Amino acid sequence: MRNNKGFGRTEVMIILVLALVLFAGGAYMILGGANNQKFTTMKENGWNFSKTVATNISSFHYSQTVYLEEAMDEGLFKDMKNPFGKGNCDGSESRIDTIDGKPYVTFKCGEYLIDKSTFDDRTIIPIYKVSDWTEEKPEGDNVEERVLYNCLDGGKELFDKYNEELYMVYLYNKEFGEDAYFSKDMTMCEVVTKTFYRTKEEVK
Protein backbone atom coordinates (compact mmCIF):
# COMPACT_ATOMS: atom_id res chain seq x y z
CA MET A 1 0.00 0.00 0.00
CA ARG A 2 1.41 3.41 -1.02
CA ASN A 3 0.39 6.94 -0.14
CA ASN A 4 -0.30 9.62 -2.74
CA LYS A 5 3.41 10.56 -2.93
CA GLY A 6 4.48 7.07 -3.84
CA PHE A 7 5.95 6.05 -0.46
CA GLY A 8 5.11 2.62 0.91
CA ARG A 9 4.36 1.99 4.56
CA THR A 10 7.83 0.51 5.12
CA GLU A 11 9.59 3.53 3.62
CA VAL A 12 7.49 5.90 5.76
CA MET A 13 8.37 3.94 8.90
CA ILE A 14 12.08 4.02 8.04
CA ILE A 15 11.95 7.81 7.53
CA LEU A 16 10.16 8.26 10.87
CA VAL A 17 12.71 6.10 12.69
CA LEU A 18 15.61 8.00 11.11
CA ALA A 19 14.00 11.32 12.05
CA LEU A 20 13.61 10.16 15.67
CA VAL A 21 17.22 8.98 15.80
CA LEU A 22 18.46 12.31 14.44
CA PHE A 23 16.27 14.23 16.88
CA ALA A 24 17.47 12.15 19.83
CA GLY A 25 21.10 12.61 18.79
CA GLY A 26 20.67 16.35 18.42
CA ALA A 27 18.93 16.64 21.78
CA TYR A 28 21.71 14.60 23.43
CA MET A 29 24.37 16.89 21.97
CA ILE A 30 22.51 20.02 23.07
CA LEU A 31 21.88 18.72 26.59
CA GLY A 32 25.44 17.42 26.86
CA GLY A 33 26.78 20.82 25.87
CA ALA A 34 24.54 22.51 28.44
CA ASN A 35 25.75 20.15 31.18
CA ASN A 36 29.38 20.74 30.22
CA GLN A 37 28.80 24.48 30.54
CA LYS A 38 27.34 23.97 34.02
CA PHE A 39 30.39 21.96 35.07
CA THR A 40 32.64 24.69 33.66
CA THR A 41 30.71 27.33 35.60
CA MET A 42 31.07 25.28 38.77
CA LYS A 43 34.84 25.04 38.31
CA GLU A 44 35.13 28.77 37.62
CA ASN A 45 33.12 29.58 40.75
CA GLY A 46 35.26 27.25 42.84
CA TRP A 47 38.41 28.89 41.50
CA ASN A 48 37.05 32.38 42.21
CA PHE A 49 36.15 31.27 45.74
CA SER A 50 39.72 30.09 46.27
CA LYS A 51 41.29 33.29 44.92
CA THR A 52 39.00 35.53 46.96
CA VAL A 53 39.73 33.68 50.19
CA ALA A 54 43.48 33.76 49.52
CA THR A 55 43.36 37.53 48.90
CA ASN A 56 41.41 38.15 52.13
CA ILE A 57 42.84 35.40 54.32
CA SER A 58 43.52 37.73 57.26
CA SER A 59 39.76 38.38 57.56
CA PHE A 60 39.04 34.89 58.87
CA HIS A 61 39.17 33.51 62.40
CA TYR A 62 40.72 30.16 61.45
CA SER A 63 42.56 30.74 58.20
CA GLN A 64 43.51 27.10 57.59
CA THR A 65 39.89 26.22 56.82
CA VAL A 66 37.46 28.82 55.48
CA TYR A 67 33.86 27.98 54.56
CA LEU A 68 31.88 29.64 51.80
CA GLU A 69 29.32 30.85 54.35
CA GLU A 70 32.13 32.62 56.25
CA ALA A 71 33.22 34.39 53.07
CA MET A 72 29.61 35.42 52.44
CA ASP A 73 29.24 36.67 56.02
CA GLU A 74 32.38 38.75 55.49
CA GLY A 75 30.68 40.36 52.48
CA LEU A 76 33.10 38.86 49.95
CA PHE A 77 30.24 37.20 48.07
CA LYS A 78 26.59 38.13 47.94
CA ASP A 79 25.77 34.55 46.99
CA MET A 80 27.09 31.75 44.80
CA LYS A 81 24.39 30.45 42.48
CA ASN A 82 24.02 26.72 41.94
CA PRO A 83 24.52 26.22 38.17
CA PHE A 84 22.57 22.94 38.25
CA GLY A 85 19.30 24.24 39.67
CA LYS A 86 17.64 26.56 42.14
CA GLY A 87 19.36 28.08 45.14
CA ASN A 88 23.02 28.59 45.96
CA CYS A 89 26.06 26.39 46.32
CA ASP A 90 26.45 24.81 49.76
CA GLY A 91 27.94 27.25 52.26
CA SER A 92 28.43 24.54 54.89
CA GLU A 93 30.33 22.02 52.75
CA SER A 94 32.17 24.35 50.36
CA ARG A 95 35.49 25.34 51.89
CA ILE A 96 39.15 26.16 51.31
CA ASP A 97 41.70 24.09 53.26
CA THR A 98 45.21 25.50 53.29
CA ILE A 99 47.79 22.72 53.69
CA ASP A 100 51.51 23.55 53.65
CA GLY A 101 50.63 26.94 52.19
CA LYS A 102 48.63 25.47 49.31
CA PRO A 103 44.84 25.91 48.94
CA TYR A 104 42.66 22.85 48.40
CA VAL A 105 39.15 23.57 47.14
CA THR A 106 36.08 21.62 48.21
CA PHE A 107 33.02 23.02 46.46
CA LYS A 108 29.50 21.59 46.52
CA CYS A 109 26.62 22.77 44.34
CA GLY A 110 23.41 20.78 44.48
CA GLU A 111 24.35 17.12 44.18
CA TYR A 112 27.75 17.82 42.56
CA LEU A 113 31.06 18.09 44.39
CA ILE A 114 34.64 19.17 43.72
CA ASP A 115 36.61 17.42 46.45
CA LYS A 116 39.88 18.92 47.75
CA SER A 117 41.20 19.95 44.34
CA THR A 118 44.37 22.05 44.03
CA PHE A 119 43.21 23.55 40.70
CA ASP A 120 46.77 23.05 39.36
CA ASP A 121 45.25 21.96 36.05
CA ARG A 122 41.74 23.32 35.70
CA THR A 123 41.01 21.04 32.73
CA ILE A 124 41.19 17.82 34.78
CA ILE A 125 39.34 18.67 38.00
CA PRO A 126 37.21 15.65 38.98
CA ILE A 127 33.55 16.30 39.74
CA TYR A 128 31.52 13.84 41.78
CA LYS A 129 27.82 13.22 42.17
CA VAL A 130 26.93 12.72 45.83
CA SER A 131 23.81 11.85 47.77
CA ASP A 132 22.63 13.51 50.97
CA TRP A 133 24.23 12.42 54.24
CA THR A 134 22.21 9.71 55.98
CA GLU A 135 22.61 7.66 59.14
CA GLU A 136 21.74 4.50 57.23
CA LYS A 137 24.64 3.07 55.25
CA PRO A 138 23.74 2.61 51.55
CA GLU A 139 24.55 -0.53 49.60
CA GLY A 140 27.46 -0.57 47.19
CA ASP A 141 31.18 0.21 47.02
CA ASN A 142 31.05 3.96 46.38
CA VAL A 143 30.05 4.87 49.94
CA GLU A 144 31.75 7.63 51.92
CA GLU A 145 31.66 7.63 55.74
CA ARG A 146 32.09 10.69 57.96
CA VAL A 147 31.65 11.68 61.60
CA LEU A 148 29.53 14.85 61.84
CA TYR A 149 28.91 17.12 64.82
CA ASN A 150 26.15 18.90 66.66
CA CYS A 151 25.77 20.53 70.06
CA LEU A 152 23.24 19.93 72.81
CA ASP A 153 21.88 23.02 74.54
CA GLY A 154 19.43 22.22 77.34
CA GLY A 155 19.30 18.64 76.07
CA LYS A 156 18.20 19.71 72.57
CA GLU A 157 20.25 19.73 69.38
CA LEU A 158 21.27 23.33 68.82
CA PHE A 159 21.63 23.13 65.04
CA ASP A 160 19.15 21.81 62.47
CA LYS A 161 21.60 19.27 61.10
CA TYR A 162 24.91 17.61 61.94
CA ASN A 163 27.89 19.34 60.33
CA GLU A 164 31.61 19.06 59.73
CA GLU A 165 33.53 19.85 62.91
CA LEU A 166 35.03 23.18 61.87
CA TYR A 167 31.80 24.43 60.33
CA MET A 168 29.95 23.58 63.53
CA VAL A 169 32.60 25.51 65.50
CA TYR A 170 31.95 28.49 63.22
CA LEU A 171 28.21 28.26 63.92
CA TYR A 172 28.89 27.89 67.64
CA ASN A 173 31.05 31.02 67.70
CA LYS A 174 28.30 32.98 65.95
CA GLU A 175 25.65 31.63 68.32
CA PHE A 176 27.47 32.30 71.58
CA GLY A 177 29.95 35.04 70.65
CA GLU A 178 32.81 32.70 71.53
CA ASP A 179 36.30 32.28 70.09
CA ALA A 180 36.64 28.49 69.77
CA TYR A 181 38.87 26.87 67.18
CA PHE A 182 37.95 23.19 67.59
CA SER A 183 35.09 21.23 69.10
CA LYS A 184 37.15 20.52 72.23
CA ASP A 185 37.15 24.28 72.91
CA MET A 186 33.36 24.49 73.00
CA THR A 187 32.12 24.90 76.57
CA MET A 188 28.69 26.51 76.18
CA CYS A 189 27.03 23.31 74.96
CA GLU A 190 27.64 19.57 74.89
CA VAL A 191 29.31 18.31 71.71
CA VAL A 192 27.73 15.19 70.21
CA THR A 193 28.66 13.19 67.11
CA LYS A 194 27.06 10.70 64.77
CA THR A 195 28.39 8.70 61.85
CA PHE A 196 26.81 9.51 58.48
CA TYR A 197 27.11 8.00 55.00
CA ARG A 198 26.63 9.11 51.41
CA THR A 199 27.28 7.74 47.96
CA LYS A 200 29.96 9.39 45.84
CA GLU A 201 30.60 8.70 42.16
CA GLU A 202 32.87 10.52 39.74
CA VAL A 203 30.89 11.86 36.78
CA LYS A 204 33.20 14.34 35.08
Side-chain angles (χ1 to χ4, degrees):
M1 180 177 178
R2 293 182 175 273
N3 61 20
N4 58 6
K5 293 188 177 180
F7 290 108
R9 181 176 298 173
T10 302
E11 288 89 339
V12 170
M13 291 299 297
I14 291 172
I15 291 171
L16 287 174
V17 169
L18 287 174
L20 287 172
V21 169
L22 290 172
F23 175 79
Y28 178 82
M29 291 179 65
I30 291 170
L31 292 174
N35 282 334
N36 284 335
Q37 181 57 49
K38 292 175 183 178
F39 289 130
T40 298
T41 299
M42 181 180 182
K43 293 177 183 180
E44 289 175 350
N45 288 344
W47 173 239
N48 288 333
F49 174 37
S50 175
K51 288 192 301 181
T52 301
V53 167
T55 302
N56 298 274
I57 197 65
S58 62
S59 301
F60 300 104
H61 176 60
Y62 184 65
S63 59
Q64 288 181 275
T65 297
V66 176
Y67 285 89
L68 176 59
E69 184 172 323
E70 292 183 74
M72 293 172 67
D73 286 348
E74 286 293 325
L76 300 178
F77 298 101
K78 182 178 179 182
D79 52 36
M80 190 73 80
K81 296 295 184 185
N82 173 16
F84 303 100
K86 295 180 180 179
N88 298 319
C89 295
D90 195 322
S92 66
E93 291 195 49
S94 301
R95 67 180 189 274
I96 308 297
D97 295 302
T98 301
I99 303 172
D100 296 328
K102 191 169 190 176
Y104 289 76
V105 180
T106 297
F107 197 64
K108 184 172 182 288
C109 299
E111 58 187 355
Y112 294 99
L113 174 74
I114 295 171
D115 194 16
K116 279 194 172 182
S117 175
T118 61
F119 276 63
D120 288 335
D121 185 345
R122 292 166 64 185
T123 64
I124 55 171
I125 298 169
I127 295 182
Y128 302 89
K129 187 174 183 178
V130 294
S131 66
D132 293 332
W133 292 108
T134 176
E135 293 182 64
E136 183 176 348
K137 187 175 183 179
E139 299 290 335
D141 299 325
N142 59 336
V143 176
E144 185 176 33
E145 176 181 326
R146 186 170 298 176
V147 174
L148 300 177
Y149 293 72
N150 209 323
C151 206
L152 297 182
D153 185 24
K156 296 182 179 180
E157 292 176 350
L158 183 60
F159 305 114
D160 292 338
K161 66 172 186 173
Y162 281 68
N163 296 287
E164 296 175 2
E165 179 186 8
L166 296 179
Y167 180 72
M168 189 202 61
V169 172
Y170 174 67
L171 294 178
Y172 167 87
N173 286 338
K174 286 205 302 182
E175 179 74 18
F176 293 103
E178 292 285 293
D179 197 31
Y181 282 88
F182 302 101
S183 60
K184 63 182 178 61
D185 305 320
M186 296 167 54
T187 59
M188 301 294 290
C189 60
E190 178 188 352
V191 176
V192 289
T193 63
K194 287 183 181 180
T195 300
F196 287 81
Y197 306 89
R198 71 179 176 189
T199 57
K200 177 183 176 185
E201 183 177 2
E202 186 173 343
V203 294
K204 183 66 175 176

